[in-house]
Amino acid sequence: MNAHVSQGGWPALVLNADFRPLSYYPLSLWSWQDAIKAVFLDRVNIVANYDHAVHSPSFEMQLPSVVSLKSFVKPTTHPAFTRFNVFLRDRFSCQYCTSQEDLTFDHIIPRSRGGQTTWENVVAACSPCNLKKGSMTMAQANMFPRQTPYAPTVHQLHRNGRLFPPNYLHESWLDYLYWDTELDP
């Protein structure tokens, strides 16, 4: 999936067979070329189109703006333990000072003291806070994370991902994003 597709690139929002996005952050987008290939391979249904078409000598097709998979892809129940997912869980902010610059991660119980690299022992931290805490315990450094680290569910990561919408959202996508947000009266 192409996470960074430019506005002029005619990206297609990819929905699962239940019409929910495969991912919220990064938003599940395919390039127009991948979307058309999936249409011809009969793997997706076109849900909405752009007002732009591509042409060959004998064929014309409007570019899909929203496609849905024909086969349901079962979402994972346990998110992978990755640096990106730690940042997403912690909403891309240092858990000590709330800075969003120069993020890395910190071991609550330092590795030099037997701490493991697990969901429950790692938090997002900016480089200055990480260097300040060093190999000290939280009490020694007098630095305590804003939240206790935990293993998030996919739902929690999706919820946090919705807080960081991409720079570009096509109007045809809006009916399929953020279904669980409160509607205006």
Side-chain angles (χ1 to χ4, degrees), residues 121-152:
N121 192 47
V122 171
V123 295
C126 67
S127 288
C129 284
N130 199 352
L131 288 170
K132 181 179 172 185
K133 182 173 172 288
S135 61
M136 294 183 280
T137 65
M138 293 184 299
Q140 289 171 326
N142 197 27
M143 294 175 70
F144 301 91
R146 297 190 178 283
Q147 70 178 2
T148 303
Y150 62 95

Side-chain angles (χ1 to χ4, degrees), residues 73-86:
V73 175
K74 185 177 179 186
T76 180
T77 55
H78 302 291
F81 178 65
T82 65
R83 182 180 304 260
F84 180 84
N85 283 344
V86 168

Side-chain angles (χ1 to χ4, degrees), residues 64-113:
S65 63
V66 180
V67 296
S68 67
L69 300 177
K70 288 192 173 188
S71 299
F72 183 77
V73 175
K74 185 177 179 186
T76 180
T77 55
H78 302 291
F81 178 65
T82 65
R83 182 180 304 260
F84 180 84
N85 283 344
V86 168
F87 293 165
L88 184 56
R89 177 199 66 189
D90 294 345
R91 298 182 180 183
F92 297 94
S93 65
C94 175
Q95 294 301 290
Y96 300 116
C97 74
T98 71
S99 171
Q100 296 182 336
E101 303 296 319
D102 199 16
L103 287 181
T104 182
F105 65 84
D106 178 60
H107 291 80
I108 299 295
I109 300 170
R111 291 177 62 199
S112 63
R113 297 172 183 250

